[in-house]
Amino acid sequence: MVEDSAEDAGLILRELRRGGFAPDFERVFSREALEAALDRGPWDLITADYSMPQFTGVEAFEVVRAKNLDVPFIIVSGTVGEQAAVAAMKAGVQDFVLKDKLDRLVPVIERELRDAQVRAEREKMREQLLVADRMASVGMLAASVAHEINNPLTSIAGNLELITRALLDLSRTIPAIAPLLEDLNDAQEGARRIQEIARDLKLFSRAPAEVVEAVDLRRVFESSLRMARNEIQHRARVVRDYGDVPPVEANESRLGQVFLNLIINAAQSIAVGHADNNEIRVATRRDNQGQVIAEVEDTGSGMAPEVLAQIFTPLFTTKPVGVGTGLGLAICRRIISDIGAEISVESEVGKGSLFRITFPRIGHTADLTVESVVAVHAARRRGRILVVDDEPMISKIIRRVCARDHDVVSVESAREALARIERGERFDLILSDVMMPAMTGPQLYEELKRVAPDLAQSMVFFTGGSFASDAQASLDGIPNLRIEKPFAIDHLHRIINERIH
Ligand SMILES: Nc1ncnc2c1ncn2[C@@H]1O[C@H](COP(=O)(O)OP(=O)(O)OP(=O)(O)O)[C@@H](O)[C@H]1O
Ligand SMILES: [Mg+2]
């Protein structure tokens, strides 16, 4: 209440109580006192006298507006000229109630409180949309990058493997080749690291209709740490404190996003240059009720209470433009609450911060990571393989892998594959990409089901990076085997030889 008269304040309060309110209130009548009171907020409602000795209602309103507060503001005053009332409303004051018509006060307040609630909900929705939007665009970007990386990478990794094998043979007779093998080994190691990054990117790109699966927290931490390597490197040592915990029920890619956000925040809270004196600790453990806990702790700047109060609010950031958008933790909280988990934080300025995620207990932990073990078969007879991929590099590497055991025919479009089969060509196995222009792999499958059902059955699909596409989704109803790009040559070799016998 911005009101210099205690008596008038009493009248207003009596009216409010009659209307069923039991307000906590403070009365102020100077600019400084109002500012201080606003800082102690939040407030649901402000009433102000129109004119007081040190201050006017309209000035009071400007103070509120300068603080960017959306609190209903009602002037309650003795008779004033019509013009003054109009000017106040024009300035944005919600309503003007005359002291001799106080029976209007309660209905006006009820209306304004309702409107304020609607505005708050609308704002919340806008923020949620923003979060959803960024999640979608990050996912799509990641998907397309992973997709583009996969084809050349498959070629690089495959060729390195082939060259290594050939040189291994030669090195038995030519000693000078041995050091080359070491160089090749380094190159392969590099390719493997890129493969992991591409796989991690794909973790981020799954379509939003999410599968909840049993997720190994360690694995998610490791892939997030790899992705954050650059941010961490010159700032802190990483300490891994992995206690023995069962898998949690979550979506792996989303959880990866959460961990990555937390780890990058932790890294960014530490100044560059003292990596030896700083730590980022990632931990998994169980609390005393048996719930699974994941933690990211840093020895960085820590947060003051007024920062801490806002960190989960979308768009709140203390970082410069270009470094932070302030959406990271808002996204984390949403992902975490979607899986019924909780995120909490402890922080002290100058010491560091600890983010903790507590996962709900789950009933069953069986049948996880059960990899089917497949015996290795050597080729039993020479077969005919059709490779359908719009990326010639892929066909080429497959041809090189299989040429010794099988005949490989490659085409660059599903249409051409279909035409050949319609003309009567037969194959033992079809290896097909999913996404191709004109006709996709799944579409080829549907056509083959009509014209050559046995060939449809023999199809094996390469899946690339993009999980968001329709073509990828259309694989859903198809039971055939999929091989993820980039693939290991041994794996491919084994699959081919198993299928041709
Ligand atoms: N580990 C931390 N140590 C210190 N401050 C932190 C830490 N984590 C978050 N904060 C504070 O919380 C704010 C909000 O974090 P959030 O992840 O939501 O956004 P951001 O990191 O600023 O930007 P974005 O994640 O969108 O790139 C940060 O700007 C920072 O002030
Ligand atoms: Mg962040």
Side-chain angles (χ1 to χ4, degrees):
M1 302 178 81
V2 188
E3 172 65 75
D4 62 321
S5 151
E7 198 180 323
D8 286 357
L11 286 177
I12 294 172
L13 280 174
R14 205 172 61 200
E15 193 60 31
L16 283 176
R17 293 198 179 106
R18 261 222 319 238
F21 290 102
D24 291 326
F25 77 101
E26 264 184 61
R27 184 165 68 91
V28 296
F29 41 94
S30 72
R31 174 185 292 273
E32 296 71 36
L34 173 61
E35 280 178 344
L38 290 177
D39 289 342
R40 282 193 298 275
W43 301 97
D44 298 309
L45 176 76
I46 299 169
T47 69
D49 196 359
Y50 183 72
S51 75
M52 292 157 283
Q54 314 177 20
F55 205 31
T56 71
V58 176
E59 281 169 352
F61 179 70
E62 257 132 38
V63 170
V64 174
R65 196 155 59 177
K67 288 197 181 285
N68 243 333
L69 295 173
D70 182 17
V71 186
F73 190 103
I74 295 165
I75 290 187
V76 185
S77 107
T79 327
V80 293
E82 199 177 324
Q83 251 175 348
V86 169
M89 302 280 279
K90 258 202 182 139
V93 165
Q94 261 86 8
D95 210 336
F96 212 106
V97 176
L98 294 177
K99 281 180 180 165
D100 57 7
K101 298 216 174 97
L102 271 188
D103 52 341
R104 262 194 78 223
L105 185 61
V106 166
V108 163
I109 288 175
E110 281 170 346
R111 184 196 68 210
E112 288 308 326
L113 290 179
R114 256 193 326 269
D115 287 0
Q117 196 183 1
V118 169
R119 281 198 301 277
E121 269 160 23
R122 206 173 287 153
E123 176 61 16
K124 207 166 118 198
M125 224 141 85
R126 198 184 65 88
E127 289 176 348
Q128 280 174 353
L129 278 177
L130 247 154
V131 170
D133 208 46
R134 155 141 147 185
M135 286 170 81
S137 55
V138 168
M140 261 154 66
L141 181 67
S144 58
V145 171
H147 186 66
E148 290 314 304
I149 288 176
N150 272 331
N151 287 329
L153 189 58
T154 303
S155 161
I156 293 173
N159 282 307
L160 286 174
E161 214 173 311
L162 289 174
I163 297 171
T164 307
R165 282 187 202 171
L167 287 187
L168 255 176
D169 283 346
L170 289 176
S171 68
R172 288 194 200 105
T173 48
I174 312 173
I177 282 178
L180 291 183
L181 281 171
E182 254 171 57
D183 298 344
L184 267 175
N185 198 27
D186 288 351
Q188 276 180 306
E189 182 53 42
R192 255 195 297 278
R193 195 166 299 156
I194 299 175
Q195 254 172 34
E196 267 160 14
I197 292 170
R199 200 169 302 139
D200 289 340
L201 274 179
K202 283 199 282 178
L203 278 184
F204 281 70
S205 64
R206 300 219 174 122
E210 272 147 18
V211 269
V212 171
E213 55 215 337
V215 176
D216 176 5
L217 291 180
R218 252 179 253 205
R219 211 174 89 136
V220 184
F221 263 134
E222 285 304 315
S223 94
S224 306
L225 285 169
R226 271 200 301 276
M227 295 189 80
R229 224 172 104 109
N230 257 337
E231 293 285 334
I232 302 171
Q233 217 165 27
H234 302 291
R235 294 177 152 116
R237 286 176 293 124
V238 175
V239 177
R240 295 165 168 85
D241 190 359
Y242 295 140
D244 205 14
V245 294
V248 300
E249 258 175 20
N251 177 270
E252 183 159 343
S253 57
R254 289 283 172 244
L255 203 56
Q257 252 176 303
V258 172
F259 286 1
L260 183 62
N261 261 313
L262 294 182
I263 290 168
I264 287 185
N265 279 349
Q268 289 178 343
S269 78
I270 298 168
V272 175
H274 303 285
D276 283 343
N277 303 331
N278 282 293
E279 256 180 41
I280 294 175
R281 191 180 64 94
V282 298
T284 61
R285 61 184 177 82
R286 280 185 196 244
D287 68 5
N288 42 24
Q289 290 148 47
Q291 282 174 302
V292 173
I293 307 263
E295 289 174 341
V296 176
E297 187 174 16
D298 64 69
T299 55
S301 61
M303 288 170 269
E306 60 273 19
V307 171
L308 207 52
Q310 296 195 70
I311 53 174
F312 293 107
T313 308
L315 299 179
F316 173 80
T317 181
T318 57
K319 295 171 190 171
V321 179
V323 177
T325 58
L327 286 173
L329 287 175
I331 292 173
C332 289
R333 189 174 57 178
R334 185 169 127 175
I335 295 171
I336 289 302
S337 69
D338 278 354
I339 55 171
E342 271 170 30
I343 182 164
S344 61
V345 50
E346 290 162 21
S347 185
E348 198 176 327
V349 175
K351 291 219 162 130
S353 310
L354 167 66
F355 284 83
R356 175 177 300 135
I357 300 168
T358 309
F359 293 92
R361 231 188 299 258
I362 52 173
H364 50 91
T365 54
D367 57 55
L368 311 165
T369 60
V370 186
E371 276 227 22
S372 57
V373 183
V374 192
V376 182
H377 294 292
R380 272 166 264 185
R381 68 173 172 84
R382 200 167 177 84
R384 259 191 121 218
I385 300 172
L386 176 65
V387 181
V388 191
D389 200 311
D390 56 329
E391 182 58 69
M393 271 188 283
I394 299 292
S395 313
K396 203 169 143 199
I397 191 80
I398 294 173
R399 180 155 339 112
R400 296 197 51 190
V401 172
C402 305
R404 216 186 313 165
D405 296 344
H406 308 288
D407 297 325
V408 179
V409 175
S410 49
V411 295
E412 285 182 26
S413 77
R415 287 255 164 83
E416 195 187 334
L418 184 61
R420 278 171 174 251
I421 291 163
E422 279 174 338
R423 281 201 302 267
E425 277 192 58
R426 281 297 170 267
F427 302 92
D428 296 292
L429 180 65
I430 300 175
L431 299 170
S432 170
D433 196 13
V434 176
M435 250 95 57
M436 288 173 287
M439 183 189 270
T440 67
Q443 282 165 346
L444 175 62
Y445 172 86
E446 294 303 331
E447 292 296 320
L448 288 184
K449 267 209 322 210
R450 278 191 308 107
V451 302
D454 55 321
L455 283 185
Q457 232 178 28
S458 83
M459 280 180 84
V460 172
F461 291 97
F462 296 127
T463 56
S466 173
F467 283 82
S469 77
D470 293 345
Q472 198 76 40
S474 64
L475 254 187
D476 279 354
I478 301 178
N480 295 27
L481 185 72
R482 302 135 165 66
I483 302 177
E484 205 178 330
K485 271 191 210 167
F487 43 77
I489 289 199
D490 280 343
H491 181 57
L492 182 70
H493 210 161
R494 194 180 68 201
I495 285 173
I496 290 173
N497 286 348
E498 266 167 17
R499 261 142 223 272
I500 298 180
H501 47 247

